[in-house]
Amino acid sequence: MSNETQLKPIRMVDLVSQYQQIKHEIDAAIHSVIDRAAFINGQEVKDFQADLEKYLGVRHVIPCANGTDALQIAFMALGLKPGDEVITASFTYVATAEVIGLMGLTPVLVDVDPNTFNIDPKEVEAAITPKTKAIVPVHLFGQCADMEQLMALAVKHNLYVIEDTAQAIGAEYTFLDGRKQKAGTIGTIGTTSFFPSKNLGGYGDGGAICTNDDELAAKMRMICNHGQSKQYYHDVIGVNSRLDTLQAAILGVKLKHLDSYASARRNLADAYDKAFNEPSVIANGNGEGPVTLSRLSVGLSRCQTPYRSLNSTHVFHQYTLKLSGVNRDELRAHLESKGIPSMIYYPVPCHKQRAFASSITDRAYPVTEALCECVISLPMHTEMEEEQVDFIVSSVIEFLTK
Ligand SMILES: *Cc1c(COP(=O)(O)O)cnc(C)c1O
């Protein structure tokens, strides 16, 4: 008789329900690869590469094994030297900063914008030194960083820009002159991940690099394949980083649905926004008798819905609220008791990770540190049902107005 027993289980990401919608297409694509045993460098890899180039509007896509490798291969191709400084945001998934460190480069972690959660160009500018060689904006949670300003800084200081597009594939940035470009195709190199829970996710690991620079593309293709120019001739030290044919076949199917997946995510975000910003919609909705509007507005002022940038579409990899005056752990426990998962992206910023202790300066991170304490991400995926949304929303509001 409780609400949750009638509902399909709520997940942060519901890949099972999504598969059921496209099962015929996916199964056919997988079987076609197995039937030919074309597991490595099969036709599907070439097809997916061409389809993604067309979708992104970029000259070259180089598929590889995962999004972390994509970043590493980008740095290898740029030929940066130990001691070179690379500026990135502290409020990100660790992979971005990790690869910079792994390559012997110096990660310079800077603070982010409190609205977009993305790297703050003013902080970038203040961090530039004669040793700075590159900026790595991460388009966090599905929305592009301020590429207008970042590209201007890059031109002025002669820096490479590597866009980490792991969370924002398909997002589109509009420059002041009206020019529109897809995330990952604006800087020197763009990298992305096809980890299953990403917006374009495979059924295992996968990644890709893209660029409009022919020379860099050739170099990165070579690096991915043991630095090989022709079989058994190795011109540079490379790595083994390939996208499986099976993953390429699956991704080829899912790429055709990517724009409709983005609208499903946006519709869910719109529904969350509406519920959290318009008290009347849910004033009587939590099953515990009418909630007075004044109590509700107090409760709702404690949760701020995601900011939407004017320059970038939002593909909502995550739907992340900012809480104020709320015990976040208790809210999560309350949701969990009702079968509603939630996540904290990210509880510990990169500059506070032990792994980066040696690159820590006395730089201040007031925004990043405040965000780590106050953000909460709600379930976000392409298969959410209306009743599930209502239940999530009323459960959050029930706690906030308690
Ligand atoms: C997921 C992610 C990566 C790494 O991708 P993998 O495919 O898991 O290696 C890198 N950067 C960001 C911002 C990510 O979210």
Side-chain angles (χ1 to χ4, degrees):
M1 56 168 273
S2 75
N3 228 339
E4 51 266 55
T5 55
Q6 297 156 22
L7 288 178
K8 190 165 79 165
I10 297 173
R11 301 194 164 91
M12 280 305 284
V13 180
D14 191 345
L15 295 174
V16 172
S17 300
Q18 189 190 62
Y19 167 61
Q20 281 157 359
Q21 299 295 319
I22 52 171
K23 183 172 165 37
H24 290 299
E25 286 174 90
I26 293 279
D27 290 1
I30 289 175
H31 279 116
S32 157
V33 175
I34 299 174
D35 285 341
R36 287 171 287 122
F39 301 117
I40 302 292
N41 292 334
Q43 185 58 39
E44 284 81 354
V45 179
K46 298 173 188 83
D47 293 345
F48 173 65
Q49 176 191 311
D51 291 347
L52 191 57
E53 283 165 354
K54 196 159 156 225
Y55 176 84
L56 294 173
V58 71
R59 287 176 64 81
H60 305 281
V61 164
I62 299 125
C64 66
N66 57 66
T68 310
D69 274 10
L71 286 161
Q72 180 180 332
I73 292 157
F75 284 115
M76 289 172 78
L78 291 173
L80 303 187
K81 304 270 175 325
D84 287 348
E85 293 176 359
V86 178
I87 301 175
T88 194
S90 188
F91 190 61
T92 179
Y93 180 59
V94 70
T96 327
E98 180 182 47
V99 171
I100 299 169
L102 183 72
M103 296 300 296
L105 310 171
T106 304
V108 176
L109 303 168
V110 301
D111 211 358
V112 294
D113 178 277
N115 291 317
T116 63
F117 309 138
N118 279 322
I119 196 165
D120 182 341
K122 288 191 297 295
E123 295 290 318
V124 172
E125 185 159 30
I128 293 173
T129 74
K131 287 184 177 167
T132 307
K133 290 288 152 41
I135 310 171
V136 186
V138 180
H139 303 310
L140 205 72
F141 302 157
Q143 194 166 232
C144 292
D146 186 345
M147 294 308 288
E148 185 95 41
Q149 304 239 29
L150 294 171
M151 292 309 290
L153 282 176
V155 169
K156 184 170 163 200
H157 297 274
N158 196 23
L159 307 174
Y160 298 120
V161 174
I162 299 155
E163 301 174 67
D164 183 342
T165 314
Q167 302 188 4
I169 194 162
E172 190 171 65
Y173 189 83
T174 307
F175 286 87
L176 289 176
D177 65 6
R179 196 164 31 102
K180 290 178 190 295
Q181 270 176 276
K182 287 262 163 64
T185 69
I186 303 165
T188 324
I189 298 175
T191 67
T192 198
S193 163
F194 305 124
F195 186 82
S197 63
K198 305 281 161 136
N199 288 33
L200 179 58
Y203 292 179
D205 278 307
I209 314 158
C210 61
T211 185
N212 283 309
D213 182 320
D214 298 348
E215 215 171 294
L216 270 178
K219 210 161 167 188
M220 293 193 289
R221 236 178 256 294
M222 203 193 283
I223 291 170
C224 283
N225 187 24
H226 299 290
Q228 177 172 287
S229 53
K230 62 179 182 181
Q231 202 171 19
Y232 305 123
Y233 291 80
H234 304 271
D235 296 356
V236 294
I237 301 281
V239 295
N240 173 17
S241 188
R242 291 184 284 241
L243 181 68
D244 277 14
T245 313
L246 277 171
Q247 296 306 334
I250 292 161
L251 291 165
V253 171
K254 289 187 66 175
L255 179 58
K256 296 196 198 90
H257 298 278
L258 186 58
D259 284 338
S260 78
Y261 288 160
S263 1
R265 287 173 177 276
R266 221 168 279 133
N267 289 342
L268 173 54
D270 290 346
Y272 279 145
D273 276 7
K274 186 156 186 262
F276 294 132
N277 292 325
E278 289 174 27
S280 56
V281 178
I282 39 70
N284 298 303
N286 69 1
E288 291 185 355
V291 174
T292 64
L293 279 180
S294 61
R295 262 179 72 202
L296 261 174
S297 36
V298 169
L300 295 176
S301 68
R302 294 193 189 131
C303 98
Q304 197 178 323
T305 55
Y307 175 85
R308 307 218 189 171
S309 158
L310 290 174
N311 306 77
S312 173
T313 59
H314 201 321
V315 293
F316 286 100
H317 177 60
Q318 298 298 340
Y319 183 89
T320 303
L321 294 170
K322 283 198 281 184
L323 303 171
S324 65
V326 176
N327 185 322
R328 186 172 63 175
D329 291 339
E330 282 177 17
L331 169 60
R332 293 192 72 201
H334 171 79
L335 295 176
E336 171 135 41
S337 74
K338 291 168 165 275
I340 302 169
S342 63
M343 290 292 280
I344 308 302
Y345 300 114
Y346 294 92
V348 182
C350 293
H351 71 272
K352 286 197 166 168
Q353 300 286 354
R354 232 179 284 159
F356 297 104
S358 65
S359 34
I360 294 321
T361 59
D362 53 5
R363 205 179 300 280
Y365 302 87
V367 178
T368 295
E369 287 175 10
L371 290 176
C372 289
E373 296 300 317
C374 79
V375 291
I376 181 168
S377 299
L378 297 181
M380 169 51 74
H381 56 74
T382 58
E383 311 300 320
M384 191 77 80
E385 294 175 355
E386 218 173 294
E387 301 73 42
Q388 292 179 306
V389 184
D390 292 345
F391 184 61
I392 295 168
V393 158
S394 59
S395 303
V396 172
I397 289 169
E398 184 187 1
F399 182 85
L400 295 181
T401 55
K402 214 166 44 179

